[in-house]
Amino acid sequence: MRIRYWKRYWQNSKMKERLKEWGLKSTVVVLCLLTVGIARAQNVRVLNNKDNKPVEDVFIFDHNFVKTSVTNANGEASLNKFDDTDTLYFQHSAFKTTYDTKASLKSSGYTITMDQAVISLGEFEFSSAREEEKEPDKIAHSMHTIGAQEIALQNPQTSADMLQVTGDIMVQKSQMGGGSPIIRGFEANKILLVVDGVRMNNAIYRGGHLQNAITVDNNILENTEVLFGPGSVIYGSDALGGVIHFHTRKPELLKNDSLSVNFNINAMTRYASANEEKTAHVDFNYGLKKIGFLTSVTASEFGDLTMGKVREHSYPEWGKVNYYTETVEGVDVMIKNSNSNKQVFTGYQQLDLLQKVLFKPSDSLEFIANIQYSTSSNVPRFDKLIEYNGDELRFAEWYYGPQKRLLTSINTRIQSGSSLFSYADFVVAFQRINEDRIDRRFGRTGRTTNEEDVNVYSINGDLVKKIDASQYLYYGTEFTYNDVTSTAREDNVVTGAIAPAVTRYPDGGSTMQTYAAYLNYRRDLSTMFNLTAGIRYSHAILNSQFLDTTFLTLPFSEVAINTGAFTGSLGLTFRPDSSWKFSLLGSTGFRSPNVDDYGKVFEKDGFVVVPSDRLSPEYAYNGELSITKGFHNNAVKLMGTFYYTFLVDAIVRRDHQLNGSDSLLYDGELARIQTNTNAAEAVIYGYQAKIVADISKQFTFESTYNYTFGEDLTEEVPLAHIPPVFGKTGVRYKHNNNKWYNDFYVLFNGWKRIQDYSPGSTDNPSDATEDGTPSWYTLNFKTTYHINTSLNVQFAVENILDHHYKQFASGISAPGRNFIIALRTGI
């Protein structure tokens, strides 16, 4: 029809005469240019905002998910299906989803850029000058980044579970309301936790097992960066084993002038069968041109956890809960558990709140006000509630009081062309941490309550100077001040009488101050070689007063520590071609004793730990070699890291005598005395191996394997916190233009034999079998289906075979077969 119409128009019009006047050749050229121009105008080009390179396989769709298109190798896609009034959404697994109207794209020449989203190993994007580098191929440190999309796909209940499912970090649990990460044989106060540039570690972070990671809400995280090995140059004390840096999302400002406000809502609700978890999350973003607000609320309720029923480890009664305690008419009684696989008194509730305000008066200056608050119900200490004293349960009550963490900070970010810096972050923060421990022995009327309050003030300044295209200088300072108050009392549950009790930490109060400055330098020696070098000086001043001698008489009444040290790192990377990378790193770490190390009094498994006034800092000397080899245009990558850490003056727990006695009557029972001391030498070494294979555009295979060995060379005994071999192997399938994700994986752990446990109670041998912790594996399946751009549904089955197992050093058995369903929406 169109051909006949144009034929009649040609015959009946004066077009022939006009063409003769203009010239046939010129007209043909003009028509061709117009045709090409029109065709180009209907093609959008998608570019990487970082390097302006085209992005292939971007899925483009309208709001109703009816009209779709996909970019080719040149980052181009046809928009002929879309109307000018349509809003187009651009989605890619490695980039943040963005959107724009077709009319707006037309005015911009049909070009749009996308920001990278960190999803897997090998892709790192830092959001603070405190991190060393935005180009991981040029640094020697081993790192792992977990992006927001990966967190959503894995759907973890807590941030501790988020770390566990990576396959690179092991997590110990004494109760369900906890999770203590282990990195390269280091745990608790030897790993540094950071949130939004503010260190979470404080003066009472203990050396055993630590549950504070769960106070960070994984539902509002932009990404989490894990730095393996000593990170003391950039981060300072406590980073002997590594650093876990949680980054929460920032408010988003108005990006499109055609809109009056950038408003969006994200919501999630989840149910899990193994512990009857019920979680609801919602966050709101309200962004104007220069100011934005982000509000997040997550509420969770966890019931009692059911362990796996299939005991392939040949220990049929291990972990079973045959009895639990209840108080009936004022009398403690042991109740027979009707389901011995159900771990009674493990449930709790948690509430996490976040409020951020972003003010950006110019492109080179922004301010972020950050308020985070996490609180919980009472959290039962399950491993204590299943302890026996003969044939009788030892405790009638043992729980943590509401675990509260408040953080407030102001972050000032500056971009500058001055001679001093190109980019700078200044963070002023205040934190308040409340930790309570409440316990009562079975059959007794006295309930002991220990209350610890810590106020932490901190200031960080982190700056980057780009000297030229091949040289960068990173430098900064840090100051922290901790004020610790510890009180204790004993309440008679029958009469209501209140009596004093022994405090967990020095009853006269404690303070800890730290000062530090660092300098880090990176230079690209050539296209193949990159050098990084850094130095840091850290200084710590601590003071504690012991006043009451009613319960415990010490040979001293005060502990004062004033110490400092230099630490450094030197790294070299070599990339002979795009398929190879070699990294060699040497680094040192420093950790000053904190109040928990020298001032704690507590009893566990027949051992009572008493304070020490003779602790000195511990040092780590680390060397590691990393090799990465790619095959088939890097579609397959093999990665391996070999590390060796030598510890000097490592703080370990040893038998001790107090006033000439090796035992102490504590809470009515005779316990063997121990104290923390500096061992002369210790060693930790091992390796991490990984393979990642993009089998096709739909299938990805990944496998990790971790081995660690540790020994106290002075006593020639195993070092504490050393995990057995562990890892993860899995296949991910993406279908229908990333509309459907399927993830099948295996988590596994090897044996931890009882002879490889550290002496004493740190590794919790009482919670293992007589032979140690048996090996285990779980089969797991997770799927996510995007119904449309605003709604997706998730389903998962964890521990499909319903195996019974415990993580190394854990007091609670892991979940059995666990069905999970979740709905997520974003508007």
Side-chain angles (χ1 to χ4, degrees):
M1 292 295 294
R2 291 182 178 178
I3 294 174
R4 286 198 291 269
Y5 169 79
W6 284 108
K7 186 176 181 180
R8 288 197 301 271
Y9 181 78
W10 173 268
Q11 293 172 345
N12 299 329
S13 69
K14 297 182 179 180
M15 181 63 70
K16 291 183 288 185
E17 288 78 4
R18 291 177 180 174
L19 283 176
K20 289 180 181 179
E21 294 175 4
W22 296 342
L24 180 60
K25 293 183 179 180
S26 300
T27 304
V28 171
V29 172
V30 171
L31 288 174
C32 289
L33 290 174
L34 287 173
T35 302
V36 172
I38 292 171
R40 277 191 170 276
Q42 298 302 309
N43 281 3
V44 67
R45 191 159 190 242
V46 183
L47 303 176
N48 186 334
N49 190 36
K50 184 177 180 180
D51 53 19
N52 282 327
K53 291 182 180 179
V55 183
E56 186 180 4
D57 293 329
V58 176
F59 184 46
I60 307 171
F61 50 91
D62 67 345
H63 185 72
N64 295 317
F65 217 89
V66 174
K67 307 168 188 176
T68 63
S69 188
V70 179
T71 60
N72 59 23
N74 296 320
E76 295 181 347
S78 172
L79 299 184
N80 291 331
K81 298 178 182 179
F82 300 88
D83 298 325
D84 287 346
T85 57
D86 284 340
T87 297
L88 281 61
Y89 294 85
F90 298 79
Q91 185 182 74
H92 191 285
S93 60
F95 292 81
K96 297 178 182 178
T97 300
T98 188
Y99 62 91
D100 208 343
T101 63
K102 185 177 178 181
S104 177
L105 286 171
K106 184 176 181 180
S107 64
S108 64
Y110 287 96
T111 299
I112 190 169
T113 60
M114 297 184 71
D115 295 321
Q116 283 184 307
V118 182
I119 297 175
S120 62
L121 277 176
E123 296 290 342
F124 305 102
E125 191 67 31
F126 301 96
S127 57
S128 168
R130 190 166 194 174
E131 280 71 39
E132 285 188 83
E133 186 55 61
K134 293 189 177 183
E135 299 175 88
D137 282 342
K138 296 182 178 182
I139 62 172
H141 282 99
S142 297
M143 303 188 70
H144 186 156
T145 297
I146 314 164
Q149 185 173 346
E150 180 67 18
I151 296 171
L153 289 173
Q154 294 301 335
N155 219 356
Q157 291 187 345
T158 68
S159 290
D161 296 328
M162 173 194 73
L163 297 171
Q164 170 70 35
V165 80
T166 63
D168 288 318
I169 302 171
M170 192 174 187
V171 175
Q172 182 275 350
K173 289 188 176 184
S174 296
Q175 66 278 338
M176 193 165 65
S180 185
I182 304 174
I183 300 178
R184 293 187 177 180
F186 291 94
E187 189 183 356
N189 59 21
K190 293 178 175 61
I191 292 175
L192 182 61
L193 302 181
V194 183
V195 58
D196 292 333
V198 180
R199 65 164 48 224
M200 296 175 62
N201 292 44
N202 57 58
I204 64 169
Y205 262 37
R206 55 189 176 274
H209 311 290
L210 208 62
Q211 73 271 12
N212 299 66
I214 71 166
T215 66
V216 178
D217 181 11
N218 68 83
N219 295 288
I220 198 63
L221 290 177
E222 180 67 29
N223 61 65
T224 299
E225 298 159 357
V226 182
L227 172 68
F228 294 92
S232 294
V233 169
I234 299 295
Y235 287 96
S237 181
D238 301 340
L240 293 184
V243 180
I244 300 174
H245 195 157
F246 303 100
H247 295 279
T248 62
R249 280 168 40 201
K250 285 175 52 179
E252 295 181 2
L253 301 180
L254 185 63
K255 296 181 179 179
N256 193 330
D257 291 337
S258 64
L259 301 176
S260 60
V261 65
N262 181 5
F263 180 74
N264 55 70
I265 302 175
N266 297 292
M268 181 274 292
T269 182
R270 179 176 59 229
Y271 173 81
S273 63
N275 57 359
E276 297 182 342
E277 178 215 12
K278 294 176 281 291
T279 291
H281 165 81
V282 62
D283 63 75
F284 308 85
N285 185 89
Y286 185 90
L288 299 175
K289 192 171 184 178
K290 293 188 177 182
I291 191 168
F293 303 86
L294 177 64
T295 303
S296 172
V297 180
T298 301
S300 297
E301 180 178 343
F302 304 98
D304 291 335
L305 180 65
T306 300
M307 69 185 78
K309 301 179 182 63
V310 179
R311 287 171 158 77
E312 290 191 342
H313 46 55
S314 303
Y315 300 90
E317 297 302 313
W318 182 48
K320 286 187 176 181
V321 181
N322 296 314
Y323 291 91
Y324 60 91
T325 63
E326 281 190 1
T327 303
V328 180
E329 296 181 353
V331 178
D332 295 330
V333 294
M334 291 174 57
I335 306 296
K336 185 172 179 58
N337 192 359
S338 59
N339 179 5
S340 59
N341 289 311
K342 188 172 186 177
Q343 300 174 98
V344 182
F345 299 131
T346 52
Y348 72 103
Q349 296 84 44
Q350 184 164 326
L351 176 67
D352 296 294
L353 307 174
L354 177 143
Q355 178 64 60
K356 279 188 173 182
V357 180
L358 167 63
F359 176 55
K360 193 169 185 177
S362 68
D363 291 339
S364 60
L365 179 64
E366 70 176 34
F367 303 92
I368 302 175
N370 186 358
I371 302 175
Q372 299 176 26
Y373 180 70
S374 177
T375 187
S376 69
S377 64
N378 292 333
V379 180
R381 177 72 185 267
F382 177 75
D383 62 334
K384 305 297 288 186
L385 292 172
I386 58 174
E387 281 187 13
Y388 277 83
N389 186 8
D391 294 330
E392 193 174 70
L393 286 167
R394 192 176 181 196
F395 290 95
E397 300 177 65
W398 212 122
Y399 55 89
Y400 293 103
Q403 184 170 270
K404 299 178 181 180
R405 179 182 68 89
L406 170 68
L407 178 146
T408 61
S409 70
I410 298 292
N411 186 349
T412 303
R413 319 188 77 178
I414 306 171
Q415 292 183 7
S416 170
S418 72
S419 59
L420 292 178
F421 64 89
S422 305
Y423 183 82
D425 269 359
F426 299 97
V427 184
V428 179
F430 168 76
Q431 297 178 81
R432 183 173 177 84
I433 299 94
N434 303 103
E435 292 186 5
D436 300 339
R437 294 168 175 80
I438 299 94
D439 69 86
R440 183 173 63 84
R441 299 293 179 99
F442 188 88
R444 297 187 189 177
T445 59
R447 178 194 293 132
T448 302
T449 299
N450 289 92
E451 298 179 351
E452 275 69 57
D453 295 323
V454 186
N455 292 330
V456 185
Y457 308 84
S458 63
I459 301 175
N460 292 93
D462 302 282
L463 303 95
V464 179
K465 175 58 183 176
K466 183 178 180 180
I467 301 172
D468 55 39
S470 64
Q471 297 183 83
Y472 294 83
L473 189 65
Y474 307 82
Y475 61 101
T477 61
E478 180 184 66
F479 164 77
T480 69
Y481 181 85
N482 288 240
D483 186 8
V484 182
T485 301
S486 183
T487 60
R489 69 178 188 275
E490 182 177 287
D491 299 278
N492 190 302
V493 296
V494 176
T495 66
I498 300 176
V502 59
T503 58
R504 181 178 175 87
Y505 298 114
D507 57 330
S510 303
T511 61
M512 181 175 79
Q513 305 173 54
T514 65
Y515 308 86
Y518 73 89
L519 181 68
N520 206 41
Y521 173 73
R522 196 209 85 188
R523 180 165 185 170
D524 301 335
L525 301 176
S526 68
T527 57
M528 293 188 294
F529 287 94
N530 306 97
L531 175 72
T532 58
I535 189 170
R536 180 186 184 101
Y537 179 75
S538 301
H539 197 91
I541 302 173
L542 298 94
N543 188 272
S544 296
Q545 302 289 328
F546 299 85
L547 302 180
D548 193 353
T549 59
T550 305
F551 306 97
L552 186 66
T553 302
L554 298 171
F556 52 87
S557 61
E558 179 183 13
V559 173
I561 295 177
N562 191 330
T563 186
F566 283 97
T567 55
S569 68
L570 180 64
L572 181 68
T573 63
F574 172 55
R575 291 169 290 117
D577 56 47
S578 60
S579 68
W580 282 99
K581 179 189 173 183
F582 298 88
S583 299
L584 186 63
L585 175 68
S587 57
T588 63
F590 160 82
R591 181 179 172 275
S592 169
N594 66 9
V595 177
D596 184 271
D597 291 315
Y598 66 73
K600 180 169 59 179
V601 179
F602 86 111
E603 183 274 338
K604 183 179 180 181
D605 297 339
F607 295 92
V608 59
V609 177
V610 299
S612 171
D613 65 339
R614 297 183 180 180
L615 283 184
S616 58
E618 49 189 346
Y619 301 86
Y621 302 89
N622 181 71
E624 60 185 83
L625 171 66
S626 297
I627 303 174
T628 299
K629 171 59 178 173
F631 301 90
H632 304 293
N633 293 322
N634 290 325
V636 178
K637 283 189 175 183
L638 300 178
M639 293 163 276
T641 298
F642 308 87
Y643 58 88
Y644 185 96
T645 303
F646 182 67
L647 296 170
V648 176
D649 291 335
I651 297 176
V652 295
R653 197 172 296 164
R654 289 288 177 262
D655 291 339
H656 182 66
Q657 288 192 354
L658 185 63
N659 301 321
S661 176
D662 62 0
S663 299
L664 177 69
L665 190 65
Y666 184 86
D667 202 12
E669 295 183 3
L670 194 65
R672 189 172 177 178
I673 299 174
Q674 290 189 329
T675 193
N676 283 331
T677 186
N678 292 99
E681 296 177 348
V683 64
I684 297 176
Y685 60 83
Y687 60 87
Q688 297 172 284
K690 179 182 288 287
I691 178 172
V692 179
D694 294 325
I695 301 172
S696 68
K697 291 184 178 180
Q698 288 78 37
F699 282 95
T700 301
F701 171 83
E702 183 174 323
S703 183
T704 65
Y705 188 89
N706 299 269
Y707 169 81
T708 309
F709 174 85
E711 183 181 8
D712 179 342
L713 299 177
T714 304
E715 300 290 333
E716 296 184 344
V717 295
L719 205 60
H721 307 293
I722 305 300
V725 295
F726 69 97
K728 175 184 178 181
T729 298
V731 176
R732 179 167 295 175
Y733 171 66
K734 297 179 288 186
H735 181 62
N736 194 13
N737 291 317
N738 299 332
K739 191 176 180 180
W740 187 17
Y741 286 84
N742 297 281
D743 197 11
F744 177 78
Y745 61 92
V746 181
L747 291 174
F748 60 89
N749 266 221
W751 261 95
K752 178 74 174 185
R753 300 291 179 179
I754 198 69
Q755 61 267 26
D756 296 326
Y757 276 57
S758 174
S761 62
T762 303
D763 285 344
N764 296 333
S766 60
D767 293 316
T769 72
E770 61 269 26
D771 299 312
T773 302
S775 61
W776 58 266
Y777 71 92
T778 63
L779 304 182
N780 311 272
F781 173 75
K782 296 180 179 179
T783 184
T784 298
Y785 181 74
H786 295 271
I787 298 173
N788 54 45
T789 58
S790 302
L791 181 66
N792 68 64
V793 60
Q794 296 178 284
F795 176 75
V797 187
E798 296 177 335
N799 194 2
I800 295 172
L801 300 180
D802 203 24
H803 283 166
H804 172 265
Y805 68 99
K806 285 186 180 183
Q807 293 277 18
F808 161 63
S810 292
I812 188 170
S813 295
R817 185 181 296 117
N818 188 22
F819 294 95
I820 304 170
I821 187 168
L823 291 174
R824 294 179 183 270
T825 184
I827 302 173

PDB file of all heavy atoms in Angstrom, residues 297-308:
ATOM      1  N   VAL A 297      13.375   0.617  57.956  1.00  0.00           N
ATOM      2  CA  VAL A 297      12.867  -0.084  59.140  1.00  0.00           C
ATOM      3  C   VAL A 297      12.836  -1.578  58.827  1.00  0.00           C
ATOM      4  O   VAL A 297      12.300  -1.989  57.788  1.00  0.00           O
ATOM      5  CB  VAL A 297      11.455   0.388  59.525  1.00  0.00           C
ATOM      6  CG1 VAL A 297      10.974  -0.367  60.765  1.00  0.00           C
ATOM      7  CG2 VAL A 297      11.423   1.885  59.755  1.00  0.00           C
ATOM      8  N   THR A 298      13.434  -2.382  59.699  1.00  0.00           N
ATOM      9  CA  THR A 298      13.367  -3.838  59.574  1.00  0.00           C
ATOM     10  C   THR A 298      12.999  -4.428  60.926  1.00  0.00           C
ATOM     11  O   THR A 298      13.638  -4.129  61.936  1.00  0.00           O
ATOM     12  CB  THR A 298      14.706  -4.434  59.108  1.00  0.00           C
ATOM     13  OG1 THR A 298      15.065  -3.875  57.841  1.00  0.00           O
ATOM     14  CG2 THR A 298      14.598  -5.945  58.958  1.00  0.00           C
ATOM     15  N   ALA A 299      11.958  -5.259  60.947  1.00  0.00           N
ATOM     16  CA  ALA A 299      11.521  -5.936  62.165  1.00  0.00           C
ATOM     17  C   ALA A 299      11.521  -7.437  61.915  1.00  0.00           C
ATOM     18  O   ALA A 299      11.001  -7.909  60.897  1.00  0.00           O
ATOM     19  CB  ALA A 299      10.136  -5.463  62.575  1.00  0.00           C
ATOM     20  N   SER A 300      12.129  -8.183  62.843  1.00  0.00           N
ATOM     21  CA  SER A 300      12.212  -9.640  62.705  1.00  0.00           C
ATOM     22  C   SER A 300      11.775 -10.321  63.987  1.00  0.00           C
ATOM     23  O   SER A 300      12.050  -9.835  65.092  1.00  0.00           O
ATOM     24  CB  SER A 300      13.648 -10.080  62.375  1.00  0.00           C
ATOM     25  OG  SER A 300      14.075  -9.559  61.139  1.00  0.00           O
ATOM     26  N   GLU A 301      11.120 -11.436  63.808  1.00  0.00           N
ATOM     27  CA  GLU A 301      10.749 -12.286  64.939  1.00  0.00           C
ATOM     28  C   GLU A 301      11.172 -13.706  64.614  1.00  0.00           C
ATOM     29  O   GLU A 301      10.812 -14.258  63.571  1.00  0.00           O
ATOM     30  CB  GLU A 301       9.241 -12.239  65.195  1.00  0.00           C
ATOM     31  CG  GLU A 301       8.797 -13.106  66.358  1.00  0.00           C
ATOM     32  CD  GLU A 301       7.305 -13.024  66.628  1.00  0.00           C
ATOM     33  OE1 GLU A 301       6.664 -12.070  66.135  1.00  0.00           O
ATOM     34  OE2 GLU A 301       6.770 -13.921  67.316  1.00  0.00           O
ATOM     35  N   PHE A 302      11.972 -14.296  65.506  1.00  0.00           N
ATOM     36  CA  PHE A 302      12.484 -15.644  65.302  1.00  0.00           C
ATOM     37  C   PHE A 302      11.942 -16.554  66.399  1.00  0.00           C
ATOM     38  O   PHE A 302      12.001 -16.221  67.587  1.00  0.00           O
ATOM     39  CB  PHE A 302      14.010 -15.663  65.351  1.00  0.00           C
ATOM     40  CG  PHE A 302      14.661 -14.721  64.372  1.00  0.00           C
ATOM     41  CD1 PHE A 302      15.094 -13.466  64.774  1.00  0.00           C
ATOM     42  CD2 PHE A 302      14.834 -15.082  63.052  1.00  0.00           C
ATOM     43  CE1 PHE A 302      15.693 -12.592  63.890  1.00  0.00           C
ATOM     44  CE2 PHE A 302      15.436 -14.222  62.148  1.00  0.00           C
ATOM     45  CZ  PHE A 302      15.867 -12.969  62.560  1.00  0.00           C
ATOM     46  N   GLY A 303      11.426 -17.713  65.997  1.00  0.00           N
ATOM     47  CA  GLY A 303      10.991 -18.709  66.960  1.00  0.00           C
ATOM     48  C   GLY A 303      12.120 -19.661  67.299  1.00  0.00           C
ATOM     49  O   GLY A 303      13.277 -19.461  66.907  1.00  0.00           O
ATOM     50  N   ASP A 304      11.823 -20.699  68.052  1.00  0.00           N
ATOM     51  CA  ASP A 304      12.836 -21.687  68.411  1.00  0.00           C
ATOM     52  C   ASP A 304      13.303 -22.440  67.169  1.00  0.00           C
ATOM     53  O   ASP A 304      12.500 -22.800  66.295  1.00  0.00           O
ATOM     54  CB  ASP A 304      12.276 -22.671  69.440  1.00  0.00           C
ATOM     55  CG  ASP A 304      12.049 -22.015  70.792  1.00  0.00           C
ATOM     56  OD1 ASP A 304      12.736 -21.011  71.074  1.00  0.00           O
ATOM     57  OD2 ASP A 304      11.184 -22.484  71.560  1.00  0.00           O
ATOM     58  N   LEU A 305      14.584 -22.695  67.103  1.00  0.00           N
ATOM     59  CA  LEU A 305      15.205 -23.278  65.917  1.00  0.00           C
ATOM     60  C   LEU A 305      15.162 -24.798  65.964  1.00  0.00           C
ATOM     61  O   LEU A 305      15.526 -25.417  66.963  1.00  0.00           O
ATOM     62  CB  LEU A 305      16.663 -22.809  65.826  1.00  0.00           C
ATOM     63  CG  LEU A 305      17.479 -23.331  64.647  1.00  0.00           C
ATOM     64  CD1 LEU A 305      16.919 -22.817  63.333  1.00  0.00           C
ATOM     65  CD2 LEU A 305      18.939 -22.918  64.804  1.00  0.00           C
ATOM     66  N   THR A 306      14.735 -25.393  64.842  1.00  0.00           N
ATOM     67  CA  THR A 306      14.733 -26.849  64.698  1.00  0.00           C
ATOM     68  C   THR A 306      15.970 -27.286  63.938  1.00  0.00           C
ATOM     69  O   THR A 306      16.253 -26.801  62.842  1.00  0.00           O
ATOM     70  CB  THR A 306      13.475 -27.324  63.962  1.00  0.00           C
ATOM     71  OG1 THR A 306      12.313 -26.925  64.698  1.00  0.00           O
ATOM     72  CG2 THR A 306      13.474 -28.839  63.822  1.00  0.00           C
ATOM     73  N   MET A 307      16.730 -28.207  64.520  1.00  0.00           N
ATOM     74  CA  MET A 307      17.959 -28.705  63.896  1.00  0.00           C
ATOM     75  C   MET A 307      17.630 -29.806  62.897  1.00  0.00           C
ATOM     76  O   MET A 307      16.493 -30.288  62.813  1.00  0.00           O
ATOM     77  CB  MET A 307      18.902 -29.236  64.979  1.00  0.00           C
ATOM     78  CG  MET A 307      18.411 -30.498  65.651  1.00  0.00           C
ATOM     79  SD  MET A 307      19.456 -31.041  67.032  1.00  0.00           S
ATOM     80  CE  MET A 307      18.930 -29.904  68.325  1.00  0.00           C
ATOM     81  N   GLY A 308      18.653 -30.223  62.118  1.00  0.00           N
ATOM     82  CA  GLY A 308      18.470 -31.315  61.175  1.00  0.00           C
ATOM     83  C   GLY A 308      18.271 -32.641  61.892  1.00  0.00           C
ATOM     84  O   GLY A 308      18.801 -32.864  62.983  1.00  0.00           O
TER      85      GLY A 308
END
